[in-house]
Structure formats: C-alpha cells, structure tokens
Amino acid sequence: MKSHAKVVVIGGGVVGCSVLFHLARHGWTDVVLLERDELTSGSTWHAAGGMHTINGDPNVAKLQKYTISLYKEIEELSGQATGVHLTGGVLLAATEARLDWLRGMVSKGRYLGIDLEVISAKEAAELMPLIDPGQFVGAVRNKEDGHLDPSGVTHAYAKAARKLGAEVERFTKVEDIVRRPDGLWRVITNKGDIIAEHVVNAGGLWAREVGRMVGLELPVLAMEHMYLITEDMPEVADWNAKTGTEIIHAVDFDGELYLRQERGGMLMGTYEKANKVWSEFSTPWDFGHELLEPDIDRIAPSLEVGFRHFPAFQKTGIKQIINGPFTFAPDGNPLVGPVRGLPGFWVACGVMAGFSQGGGVGLALSNWMIEGDPGADIWAMDVARYGDWATMAYTNAKVRENYSRRFSIRFPNEELPAGRQLKTTPVYDTLSAKGAQWGVSYGLEVPLWYAPEGVKDEFSWRRSTDFDHVGTEVAAVRDGVGLSEISNFAKYKVTGEGAVAWLDRMLACKLPRRGRMTLTPMLKEDGRLIGDFTLANIDDSEWFIAGSGIAEQYHMRWFEAHLPKDSSVQMEAVGQKLTGLAIAGPKAREVLAKVTRADISNAAFPFMAVARMDIGMAPCLVGRVSYTGDLGYEIWVAPEYQRAAYQALAKAGEEFGIGLFGSRALNALRLEKNYGSWAREYRPIYGPLEAGLDRFVAYGKDADFVGKEAALAERREGGKLRLRAFVVDATDADVIGDEAIWHDGVVRGWVTSGGYAHNSKKSVAMGYVPKEIADKPDGFEIEILGKRHAARIQAAPLFDANFERMRA
Ligand SMILES: Cc1cc2nc3c(=O)[nH]c(=O)nc-3n(C[C@H](O)[C@H](O)[C@H](O)COP(=O)(O)OP(=O)(O)OC[C@H]3O[C@@H](n4cnc5c(N)ncnc54)[C@H](O)[C@@H]3O)c2cc1C
C-alpha cells in the first residue's frame, strides 16, 4: 500500500467506486480507494439493482440520466459486465392526484430530455401484462428505466478506475483520520498510514462512523428494506415467449411498490409504512455480507395492495425475501460535497439509490475536487443544506417519515409533521394564537399564512383553502400596513481591519457608504452566482449581511474558504441570535414613527438606509428595504427583545388596521415585483446577466472581485439564458416550479417559481428561456398539470413599476 496519495476514498460500495473512477477519468490518478472487506460489502451487494431517471428535483434527475448513460462506457472500459437491462417502465397512478403529479414529472422531462409519456391504464397493461388496469386511472411510460447487476457495476467502476491508474486496496480498514498541522490528512488503517491531501467519506452504512473520526455527526440513518422474489410465473414465461422481451418495470405509487422481472419470476419491493430503523446509533464493524431477518407482517399491507393491483401474484409462491439496510439523509437525497471547516474532507454518502445516482455523485464530486465546482446544480444533494440542527434524533424522525412517504404525494401546500417545532422564535406562541400555519425552513418554524378558526390547508395541486385568506394578507400590505416575521433569513456580521477590502473582493457590488445598504450578487470564479445578499454598512467598522436562510451553511463554507489567513477579517453567521420582523405597506412609516424616536422621515432615512434604533424599548437594527416591493422596513432584533418589538409594532399598527402576513403572501407580493430568490431564480448555474442581477454588479470597480473576468465576458457575449416573469392565463392552478415553458409549440425553458399575485389578480411564473426568444411579445405557453396555458412576458413589474411606493 502506498504511503502518500492525493486522494483517499474510503468505501468500496458503488458510490466510492464511482468517485474513484471519476477522479481517475478526470486526470487525478494518484488516488486510492480503501475497503475494509471485499468491494460491495455494505448495502451494495444486496440491492435490487433498479435504476430510473425520475426524481422530484430536476437537477438530480439530470444526474440520474447521466448515471444510466454511463454504464455502457464503464462496461467497455473495464471489460466487466454490468448486467444492464434497459427494459423501460411504467409509473402507475391509482388516483387523479397521482396522475397530476405524474403530469408535472412529464413536463419536467420535456426540458431535461427525459422521454416520458402519459398513457391510459389500459395502455399500461398492454405494456406490462401483470397489471389489472381497473385499479389505475392512468400511467406514465419511461423508456429509460431498467435494472442491472449491482456487483457487476461496482466492479466495473473499480476496474475502469484501475485501468486509468487508480488503486484499490481491499481488506484495508480505516481506523482513524487525523488532520496534521500542515493541513494534510493522516489516514490510519489496519495496514499502516496514508497521508492524503483529500479524503472522501463514501462509507455508506458506516458513513457516520467515518464522519465521527473527524468530529462530524452526519445526518444519515440506515433503514431496513425488503423485497421479495417469486417462484417462476407462467404469465412471465408467456410474455417472454410471445414478445421476445422482458416484462418492463413498474412503480405502483399508491401501493408503495416497485416491480421487475427476476429470471422466470418477479421481484417486488416496498417502502412500507411500518418501517424499521437499523442500527440507530452506530453500525457494527463486523456487519458485512449477512442479511436481516425478513418480517413479512411489516410488508403485508403493501403486498395486499400489490396482489390486488397485479393479480398474477395471488397464484404465485414467494421464493425468497431479502431484507437489507441502506442509508438515507433526512430528505432522502444524497449528502455530497466539501464539509465546512474541514478543508480537504469530502462526503459522498446517504445515497439511497446508488444505481440511479452513483454516477452523478461521482461526477459532481470529482468536478468539485478538481475544478473547484461541481459543474452542475447539485444543491439538492449538497451536504451544506443541513446545519447542526440536523441532530441524530431529528434525522431519525425525518428519515422514518421520508421512508414511509417515499412513494407518497407531497402537495405543494403540504407541510410534513416530523422533526417539527425544533427551532422556534419568541413570537411563535403569539403568532400561533393568531392562527399562524407553520412551515419549516432550515429547521426553523416560519409562518406561512394565518387561518381563521376552523380553516386549514386542504392539500391540493390547485388553489386551496388558503387562497382568499392569503389574498386578505396581501391586501393588508398593499392597502395599509402588514407585519411579518422574517427570522428565517441568514444573517452575518463582518468586522475587522481587513473587512472592507475583503468584502470588496468577495461581493460583486459597489460597497455602500456608512448607513446605507445595497443588494449584491456574489460570484464564483466562473462568473456565475453563488449568492445574493443585502449588504449593510452599519458604521464602516461593522457590516451586516442578510441572505437566504436555507443557504447559511453553504454560504459560510464559501466565505470561510476565502477568509484571509491573517485574522484581519472576522465573519460570523449570527443565526437566531438575531430574529427578524418586517413591516410593509403605505402606512409602514407611520407605524414605525409611533414607536421610535429616530428621525425616519424620507429625507433622514431614505430607501436603503440602515441604522440602529429603539423600537418601543427594544434595541434594533432597522433597514429601509422590503421584499414586498413596498414602503417597508426590516427589523433585526435579539431574541430576548423580539416579543417587545413585536408588541410595540402591533399596538402602534392597530389604528392603521395592521394585518399579519406570512410567507405565502410575501410570495404573492414579490412576484408582482419580478423579484427572484435564492435557490429558485438565483442558482449557481446562472450568470448575473442571465438572472437579471447585472445591474447590481459593479463591473467597473477597482477591486478585483471574484468572478470579475468571467462576469465581464458574460456581459460581452450575452450569456445564454434570460430570467423572465410571465403572466399566465391560469384558471384554478398556478405554477409551483419546474414546469416546462413552451414557445411556438416547442419546449424552450423552465419555470423556477411562481404563484398567484393577489393584488394584481394575475397568475405569475418566473423562469428561464434562451436569450434569443426572451423578448418575444407572444408565442409562450406554460404547462400546468399537463395543460398548456397562454403566457405573456411581463417585463415591467405588475406593481409599482416606477418604484414610487418603495422610495416614497
Ligand atoms: C434491499 C435493498 C434494495 C435496494 N435496491 C436498490 C435499487 O433497486 N436501486 C438502487 O439504486 N439502490 C438500491 N438500494 C440502495 C443501494 O444499495 C445503495 O444506494 C448503495 O448500495 C449505496 O452505496 P454506498 O457505496 O454509498 O454504500 P455501501 O454499499 O454501504 O458501501 C460502503 C462501503 O464502505 C466500506 N467502508 C465503510 N467504512 C469503512 C472504513 N472505515 N474503512 C474501509 N472501508 C469502509 C464498507 O465496507 C462498504 O463496502 C437497495 C438497498 C437495499 C438494502
């Protein structure tokens, strides 16, 4: 075994082997994979080997499509058979709501290049003969489904990697990992040490244990999972003989089942409701090639549905039940990327669909390690989407929930109950008493809307029970004044003698002068966005930044990686040490004036001013800015004062009819201003010109800000895409996000977000289209629930296009 390597990959499951292969293919060949046993000794060996392209997140779906396309290449390169059977499949819907969900998937598939087609239940039964079509209302056909040999694929990755110069050391257990003072990693194994620049934790079932070696508690948990294999079935033999083809895959969402042919019989697996965690706190090192005891009672309810939906199973014996563990992150997507605070330590774990996702994970991680960027939008898989609030108990609750809902519909207005009331702010009970309906963002409870007594969300793809009430909240803001809680923003404090120069380099904007704020994009070296913030210069020595709450860890990882080594800059993520309130609407100034002695006249405290001032008795930081696009103020206050500030504002607002508004109303308000938001409109695959944020980029400033050259090139060459707002002729359902945008009968773009703008009484969608058609006056359609609706570009905001209200 070598004593030094550029990269040590820990774990010889499908994911570790894919990472190794991709590193080698990308040119890093001084790389070694360490496996404590034989390859495939974790979850990999007993997987059912199913693979599919669809995923709720379009970017993950793209990587799944890549994974499936890769198998031919690694088979040829390695000479190792992967056993791929590209049978195609049907996704079955037993309810109209499920069919609506599938229609949304088809719409996404159009711009992702995934060939999906809505078919009738009868047509599905013609493709997959075991189906009772009377049990279903429709289906979607997917030509890119199939299965493979899990061991063959893993060995093919490993052999291909070896051919490219990588090394694999089996029976080599990593026992500890120590960071040396020179920044290199000492990887301690039962066969000696390896010193490495980078370490990748692809430990699968033992990812937690490997994480703990460096003081990291990863939010992953293994669940038991069962599938059965039947005796040979005459129906299968008949079909094979008659058509010369295998029986295609089927996913029966309402039965929570997946099926495929296995030799002369069928394989049926289920994500059962009464699920079971495996090895809750730690994974035994002596676990390897054994299976778990099957528990047919647990899966009986799903099997009953399966026997009804696929009647041939009723007459067939079960040959074998496989029960094995595999790991999940709280939301079921992988955990990939560099770990904040541990330079050179990377994770590729929590991969619950290794044969659909392993290739994409390997590609993204190798790009990231070698190029400094994953090369794709992998936010949905980024390990930084979790913070330290994702504790072991939280993970346990969410993983169980996610497993039991693996095939369940999640409606756009549906909030899931597990892991809730974890982080709350001091006004939580007060707002609950006012009818607040809560959602969750980065572990924090956030008010979505305020329901009158006896009203609650009815889950639906269409406008629902909240519609009129959100309209009332919107009207409160536009007609008078509204009050909302905004603690879910990420907040950062930057100080130190080097702060000005550093911020000037990190952020693309012109730095604001003392007492002023600005909006600012933050760019990567490739000139694309990595953040968008409000930057406030409080007093030339202290800077305050507000940004997307869900990206706190993501942004801190970036900021910290760029901090000067000489301690001249201090940066802190303030988190909930600072909570937030906002007031907005034409009467907002009159409300604020009643509770502060500060001069907040337009002359003294104009748009984008910032100052410390007391609100009632509470010391606050107040910025004159509002995401509603109205006259408004964002108020930052220590949690011990939040209630006092809230009470003062609520009382002062009484005479103006102040109304509470939640994030759904905020969405309706920002849409009629064409304002985008991080993780929807603004993502790391778009340039500032494409995203319409170029007006905040100080291209001409002296500072050599990160991404400047590339941003100048984008401006010169024009980029490829444009973000546009559309008014959609929608009737009872608005866009959610990820729908296809058509132009002249061809799919040309995708929706990033949208909804109903109550004040303008228009259905609005935001999304990207190629720049060539971005100013076309007509020809656009947006697909909602399988129907195309005429849409028009709304270049000027529907509300206050001349910014008179905001600046009044
Ligand atoms: C019953 C069942 C059915 C499934 N069906 C499918 C399916 O149809 N399709 C699909 O895509 N997925 C399926 N899966 C999931 C799939 O198996 C996993 O997604 C995949 O195996 C994860 O691979 P991995 O490499 O991340 O982890 P693992 O396979 O667990 O590999 C981790 C490896 O790391 C090694 N290791 C850990 N710690 C150390 C250490 N300290 N030193 C050295 N080596 C170490 C382990 O020995 C192990 O070999 C199924 C899983 C189960 C249990």
Side-chain angles (χ1 to χ4, degrees):
M1 189 173 73
K2 54 164 72 175
S3 60
H4 287 75
K6 190 156 187 81
V7 184
V8 167
V9 178
I10 303 170
V14 63
V15 174
C17 291
S18 166
V19 171
L20 189 76
F21 164 72
H22 281 91
L23 286 169
R25 191 178 69 171
H26 207 128
W28 278 14
T29 50
D30 181 16
V31 292
V32 56
L33 181 146
L34 306 181
E35 166 56 50
R36 66 185 183 106
D37 201 306
E38 289 285 4
L39 298 181
T40 78
S41 290
S43 301
T44 297
W45 72 274
H46 46 53
M51 56 181 192
H52 47 85
T53 44
I54 67 158
N55 186 287
D57 184 280
N59 298 296
V60 178
K62 261 191 232 170
L63 291 174
Q64 294 190 181
K65 189 173 158 64
Y66 163 78
T67 300
I68 292 173
S69 71
L70 190 64
Y71 292 133
K72 208 163 170 290
E73 178 185 338
I74 56 169
E75 193 168 89
E76 278 167 12
L77 202 62
S78 65
Q80 162 76 51
T82 55
V84 167
H85 296 229
L86 205 59
T87 59
V90 281
L91 310 167
L92 298 163
T95 62
E96 280 300 330
R98 171 63 66 186
L99 201 54
D100 278 344
W101 180 80
L102 285 173
R103 286 185 183 114
M105 202 61 83
V106 173
S107 186
K108 269 182 229 179
R110 296 191 208 285
Y111 61 81
L112 292 171
I114 299 175
D115 189 6
L116 302 170
E117 181 194 0
V118 179
I119 56 176
S120 68
K122 192 163 153 285
E123 287 168 316
E126 282 159 15
L127 293 167
M128 203 290 193
L130 306 183
I131 295 171
D132 172 1
Q135 303 289 335
F136 298 100
V137 298
V140 160
R141 180 183 189 178
N142 183 1
K143 294 194 179 134
E144 287 168 285
D145 269 6
H147 59 272
L148 43 70
D149 166 18
S151 167
V153 162
T154 310
H155 282 96
Y157 276 130
K159 280 188 190 164
R162 273 208 213 98
K163 281 205 169 160
L164 294 166
E167 289 175 37
V168 174
E169 297 287 348
R170 293 172 306 140
F171 302 102
T172 307
K173 182 184 168 213
V174 173
E175 296 182 327
D176 208 353
I177 308 167
V178 178
R179 193 164 156 77
R180 304 194 328 173
D182 61 4
L184 297 177
W185 295 97
R186 181 172 153 224
V187 181
I188 302 165
T189 82
N190 56 342
K191 295 197 179 158
D193 295 358
I194 306 188
I195 308 303
E197 275 176 50
H198 302 271
V199 174
V200 179
N201 174 1
L205 285 177
W206 295 267
R208 281 180 305 183
E209 281 64 28
V210 174
R212 285 170 193 156
M213 292 176 190
V214 294
L216 195 62
E217 194 59 46
L218 287 164
V220 283
L221 182 67
M223 300 293 289
E224 292 193 12
H225 181 67
M226 280 180 269
Y227 62 84
L228 60 84
I229 297 170
T230 69
E231 305 282 0
D232 287 358
M233 295 167 73
E235 293 82 356
V236 173
D238 284 354
W239 179 266
N240 293 161
K242 197 169 80 194
T243 63
T245 62
E246 264 180 282
I247 293 200
I248 64 171
H249 275 231
V251 176
D252 172 4
F253 292 99
D254 302 84
E256 322 256 339
L257 298 158
Y258 57 87
L259 297 83
R260 69 165 172 85
Q261 183 172 341
E262 172 69 17
R263 299 177 192 276
M266 291 293 293
L267 179 155
M268 183 190 270
T270 178
Y271 286 84
E272 69 279 9
K273 292 280 178 228
N275 51 47
K276 194 166 168 205
V277 169
W278 182 74
S279 242
E280 197 169 351
F281 305 113
S282 58
T283 306
W285 286 110
D286 59 1
F287 185 80
H289 276 258
E290 53 272 59
L291 288 169
L292 307 174
E293 195 58 39
D295 180 353
I296 196 137
D297 289 348
R298 252 189 15 243
I299 56 172
S302 304
L303 297 187
E304 259 174 48
V305 181
F307 291 179
R308 204 168 59 243
H309 288 183
F310 309 93
F313 278 83
Q314 293 166 16
K315 302 173 285 176
T316 309
I318 294 173
K319 194 161 72 181
Q320 195 186 6
I321 299 181
I322 304 284
N323 184 10
F326 66 125
T327 54
F328 294 77
D331 60 5
N333 275 331
L335 297 175
V336 179
V339 177
R340 177 183 166 202
L342 296 176
F345 192 85
W346 306 77
V347 294
C349 58
V351 184
M352 63 76 53
F355 300 96
S356 300
Q357 299 175 337
V361 167
L363 176 70
L365 197 73
S366 64
N367 283 340
W368 216 335
M369 294 174 75
I370 298 172
E371 308 285 345
D373 190 273
D377 186 342
I378 64 136
W379 167 247
M381 309 199 296
D382 194 328
V383 61
R385 70 191 184 280
Y386 291 104
D388 54 10
W389 48 272
T391 57
M392 196 186 269
Y394 170 88
T395 302
N396 190 303
K398 288 308 280 186
V399 168
R400 294 175 69 123
E401 178 184 68
N402 182 62
Y403 184 99
S404 72
R405 298 181 47 90
R406 168 108 178 94
F407 285 150
S408 304
I409 294 172
R410 179 167 181 192
F411 291 97
N413 60 344
E414 182 172 4
E415 295 298 321
L416 301 180
R420 297 298 299 273
Q421 283 93 33
L422 175 60
K423 284 200 269 177
T424 55
T425 63
V427 294
Y428 178 81
D429 291 333
T430 310
L431 299 185
S432 293
K434 303 269 182 200
Q437 305 296 300
W438 297 94
V440 69
S441 171
Y442 203 62
L444 178 75
E445 296 293 320
V446 291
L448 301 173
W449 64 289
Y450 292 85
E453 191 75 28
V455 182
K456 60 180 174 47
D457 269 321
E458 258 170 38
F459 304 144
S460 172
W461 299 108
R462 294 175 168 76
R463 295 173 192 161
S464 185
T465 35
D466 62 329
F467 189 78
D468 291 340
H469 305 291
V470 171
T472 307
E473 292 171 28
V474 166
V477 174
R478 290 287 186 244
D479 299 344
V481 56
L483 169 59
S484 73
E485 172 164 47
I486 54 165
S487 303
N488 57 320
F489 277 90
K491 294 130 265 168
Y492 309 92
K493 183 175 150 183
V494 184
T495 53
E497 53 185 328
V500 170
W502 183 72
L503 286 168
D504 216 11
R505 174 161 163 68
M506 293 305 294
L507 302 175
C509 66
K510 178 171 180 292
L511 296 190
R513 55 181 204 279
R514 190 186 176 105
R516 303 288 298 163
M517 297 184 294
T518 186
L519 300 183
T520 178
M522 179 163 74
L523 308 181
K524 300 179 286 170
E525 277 82 4
D526 68 3
R528 298 208 168 95
L529 299 168
I530 190 157
D532 80 303
F533 303 101
T534 307
L535 170 70
N537 177 352
I538 297 177
D539 59 6
D540 284 337
S541 68
E542 184 181 337
W543 298 75
F544 173 81
I545 300 175
S548 165
I550 56 170
E552 182 186 284
Q553 187 86 331
Y554 175 87
H555 285 139
M556 278 309 280
R557 181 176 65 192
W558 180 261
F559 283 129
E560 284 176 354
H562 288 81
L563 277 175
K565 304 272 175 280
D566 60 5
S567 307
S568 60
V569 181
Q570 285 81 49
M571 172 147 203
E572 185 194 352
V574 186
Q576 294 309 315
K577 282 190 256 170
L578 216 46
T579 55
L581 296 167
I583 53 171
K587 300 285 181 199
R589 181 163 33 229
E590 288 168 71
V591 173
L592 188 61
K594 286 186 69 179
V595 291
T596 186
R597 289 179 56 82
D599 181 358
I600 56 156
S601 63
N602 198 31
F605 199 63
F607 180 60
M608 290 310 239
V610 63
R612 294 194 191 285
M613 61 182 78
D614 294 346
I615 291 185
M617 294 185 290
C620 299
L621 176 69
V622 179
R624 196 182 140 186
V625 65
S626 176
Y627 195 47
T628 62
D630 220 309
L631 169 66
Y633 304 87
E634 289 179 352
I635 297 156
W636 305 106
V637 54
E640 60 270 32
Y641 296 117
Q642 194 202 21
R643 278 168 60 97
Y646 170 86
Q647 301 294 359
L649 290 166
K651 191 155 189 313
E654 269 170 16
E655 71 177 273
F656 304 98
I658 198 164
L660 287 167
F661 67 104
S663 59
R664 289 190 188 162
L666 186 60
N667 188 47
L669 292 159
R670 66 101 189 173
L671 283 172
E672 61 179 9
K673 289 293 295 179
N674 295 2
Y675 289 166
S677 68
W678 183 255
R680 301 294 332 184
E681 284 69 36
Y682 310 138
R683 299 186 68 124
I685 47 174
Y686 306 123
L689 177 66
E690 293 181 323
L693 291 177
D694 52 314
R695 64 189 187 282
F696 302 113
V697 176
Y699 293 96
K701 75 175 177 179
D702 293 340
D704 198 9
F705 62 90
V706 178
K708 186 176 187 177
E709 283 310 311
L712 282 166
E714 188 208 29
R715 191 171 63 160
R716 239 182 357 259
E717 289 149 28
K720 291 196 173 80
L721 302 167
R722 287 294 180 275
L723 176 66
R724 288 289 178 262
F726 296 85
V727 169
V728 190
D729 286 351
T731 47
D732 65 338
D734 306 296
V735 298
I736 302 158
D738 301 330
E739 293 86 351
I741 303 177
W742 300 69
H743 186 257
D744 286 349
V746 180
V747 173
R748 301 298 304 274
W750 54 90
V751 171
T752 48
S753 71
Y756 190 75
H758 290 263
N759 176 60
S760 307
K761 299 193 173 33
K762 298 267 191 307
S763 184
V764 176
M766 295 185 79
Y768 282 88
V769 292
K771 68 173 181 212
E772 294 74 29
I773 59 165
D775 298 311
K776 296 275 182 203
D778 45 34
F780 288 100
E781 288 171 304
I782 292 183
E783 188 170 340
I784 303 175
L785 301 175
K787 282 209 188 75
R788 279 145 66 175
H789 299 259
R792 288 166 310 284
I793 287 181
Q794 186 63 41
L798 288 163
F799 173 74
D800 194 23
N802 298 322
F803 306 100
E804 282 156 11
R805 280 273 280 262
M806 216 162 66
R807 296 173 194 277

